[in-house]
Amino acid sequence: MNKVIAFSSFSIMKKPYGDPVVAGFEALTPPVFKVAENAEGSIARAKEIDDFEHLGNFERDWGKWGKFAVPNYYDGGFTIAEETRAGTLSIWENIQSVYNFTYSGLHGRAFKLRHKWFREIDYPTHVIWWIEREEIPTWKESVKRYDSLHKRGPTSFSFNISSPFDAQGNSLPNLYDGS
């Protein structure tokens, strides 16, 4: 198959990085990223290409993934001391692979604790869309997909695990099991 999926997750933390309220999330992030990179169906994930840990995500160089961007509903800070956003951008072979990673293993256990670290928001916390295998999605493109999902609901342009579409634009059965 020449099509793969782009997947982006986005949430707003209760407190900025470094605060004890989100320390558990911060501690789990590196090992979860390692598991994601080795998960069945994982192709690539956005990583900063510089090694300047004193810079926040909005200041870092993300290479082909483009300048870091967040959905318009983000209401947190943009400096490293004030950031309250947590987001990922990645490429996967298929929707089932993302589902398996999200709801099982280390990420599945962390996902069940999300209410400790993240605010409840009335906006999408993840978005999926189909891309060509050789394509690299950008952060800016993910924002367009979030905006579309929020305004129009799931479509073949932007959808979620609960209302997926195949690469031809056909609606698929809900994958989410309520975990």
Side-chain angles (χ1 to χ4, degrees), residues 1-5 93-94 130-134 166-168:
M1 180 185 231
N2 204 29
K3 296 268 190 177
V4 294
I5 62 162
E93 288 289 341
N94 52 53
W130 290 96
I131 61 173
E132 297 297 325
R133 182 171 291 280
E134 61 280 347
D166 66 20
Q168 293 73 42

Side-chain angles (χ1 to χ4, degrees), residues 35-111:
V35 170
E37 290 170 357
N38 294 305
E40 185 175 336
S42 173
I43 297 172
R45 74 172 180 89
K47 296 182 191 179
E48 59 279 316
I49 61 172
D50 59 42
D51 61 353
F52 305 122
E53 292 185 18
H54 66 283
L55 297 178
N57 286 314
F58 296 95
E59 304 164 294
R60 310 264 328 235
D61 183 352
W62 292 86
K64 294 178 183 178
W65 302 86
K67 185 172 171 53
F68 193 76
V70 293
N72 295 331
Y73 48 86
Y74 174 61
D75 60 1
F78 292 88
T79 67
I80 195 165
E82 299 170 328
E83 277 187 56
T84 56
R85 56 93 240 132
T88 65
L89 180 58
S90 54
I91 304 169
W92 294 77
E93 288 289 341
N94 52 53
I95 301 163
Q96 189 66 51
S97 296
V98 172
Y99 176 87
N100 292 344
F101 165 74
T102 301
Y103 297 106
S104 65
L106 181 61
H107 188 275
R109 290 190 298 277
F111 187 76

